[in-house]
Each structure stands twice: as structure tokens, then as C-alpha cells.
């Protein structure tokens, strides 16, 4: 079993190095502990228990920290800047006819209404989301 755990440890480390984010480091640590247990003569069931306990424990302990620091510095794209903006309808929005445009953030965008409501030209709308290249909007109270 020493050879098995050694191969597993190396495989998990290679897998970790091949990925961008942390994907298998927890299992590498678990298999390393199981390797140590096997080298000290522990029974197979104890090696497996060590592997599971260490892998799960390191995952539970480190995952919140990893999520906080990895990919924490996401930068909004130009499209994300229009979310929550109030803009003006420049061409009537009609979901059934697949038409409608709004002027948002200095650009003309295709638009559709959230609930399928037809929204007339010059109405003020709030951008709720983006689907592809279309803004999904809802009419603001006058």
C-alpha cells in the first residue's frame, strides 16, 4: 500500500499543478497522511480513514480562505457597468417582435423587457440583467 499511496500523492500533486485553481491539494495531503500511516504499518482500513479525514478536514478548513483570495479580484466588464442604470428607450421594446433599443452608458443596446411588457419610446427603464448582447429592463415608475 505504500506504493499505492505514493503514486496517489504524486498524481494528486501533478493534477494540482496542471490546474489553474486549487483542485486536488486536499487529496494530495490526505494521500500523504495515508502514505505515512502505511509506512508505519497501519492497517488498510486505518489508511483509508486517514485519507478521508485529512482530505475532508483540509477541504473544510481551507476552502473558505481559498474562495476568498482566489478570484477575489474580479474586474467588471464594460457590460457589467450598465447593470442597475436607468436609461431611455430609443426604439419601442416589444419582446414578441424581437425589437427594442435603449441608450445606456453612452451606447445603444438591444433590449427586452423583464415581463414581456411593451415599453414605448422615451420611457425610462432600469437595467436588471444582460442576456447575450441584450439588456433586460423593466419600466421605472414615472
Amino acid at each position: 500500500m505504500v506504493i499505492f499511496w505514493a503514486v496517489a500523492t504524486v498524481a494528486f500533486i501533478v493534477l494540482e499543478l496542471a490546474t489553474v485553481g486549487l483542485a486536488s491539494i486536499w487529496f494530495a495531503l490526505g494521500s500523504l497522511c495515508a502514505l505515512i500511516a502505511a509506512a508505519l504499518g497501519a492497517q488498510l482500513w486505518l489508511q483509508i480513514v486517514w485519507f478521508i479525514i485529512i482530505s475532508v478536514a483540509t477541504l473544510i478548513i481551507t476552502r473558505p480562505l481559498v474562495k476568498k483570495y482566489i478570484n477575489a479580484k474580479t474586474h467588471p466588464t464594460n457590460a457589467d457597468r450598465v447593470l442597475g442604470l436607468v436609461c431611455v428607450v430609443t426604439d419601442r421594446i416589444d419582446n414578441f417582435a424581437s425589437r427594442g433599443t435603449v441608450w445606456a452608458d453612452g451606447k445603444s443596446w438591444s433590449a427586452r423587457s423583464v415581463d414581456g411588457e411593451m415599453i414605448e419610446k422615451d420611457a425610462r427603464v432600469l437595467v436588471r440583467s444582460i442576456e447575450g448582447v441584450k439588456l433586460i429592463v423593466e419600466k421605472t415608475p414615472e
Side-chain angles (χ1 to χ4, degrees):
M1 286 309 294
V2 171
I3 293 172
F4 172 80
W5 291 117
V7 169
T9 302
V10 170
F12 285 127
I13 291 171
V14 168
L15 179 64
E16 183 62 42
L17 294 173
T19 59
V20 177
L22 296 177
S24 64
I25 192 70
W26 307 282
F27 305 116
L29 291 172
S31 61
L32 178 63
C33 290
L35 170 65
I36 293 168
L40 294 174
Q43 294 180 7
L44 178 59
W45 69 268
L46 186 58
Q47 296 169 33
I48 294 170
V49 167
W50 270 117
F51 171 74
I52 293 170
I53 288 174
I54 299 299
S55 296
V56 170
T58 54
L59 176 64
I60 290 170
I61 292 168
T62 60
R63 189 67 178 158
L65 295 173
V66 169
K67 287 181 82 172
K68 183 177 179 181
Y69 293 108
I70 302 288
N71 295 330
K73 295 177 176 68
T74 56
H75 299 287
T77 63
N78 288 342
D80 292 335
R81 294 189 322 194
V82 298
L83 294 175
L85 285 182
V86 174
C87 49
V88 177
V89 176
T90 55
D91 183 30
R92 184 179 67 189
I93 297 173
D94 183 353
N95 290 9
F96 296 109
S98 296
R99 61 177 286 174
T101 56
V102 297
W103 187 257
D105 195 34
K107 297 171 200 69
S108 182
W109 291 77
S110 295
R112 301 295 178 264
S113 65
V114 170
D115 54 6
E117 174 188 6
M118 195 174 301
I119 304 174
E120 296 299 323
K121 182 179 178 184
D122 297 324
R124 298 177 66 80
V125 292
L126 176 67
V127 178
R128 286 294 181 189
S129 64
I130 301 173
E131 289 181 9
V133 295
K134 295 179 190 74
L135 298 182
I136 307 302
V137 299
E138 70 179 357
K139 194 169 183 180
T140 58
E142 297 287 328

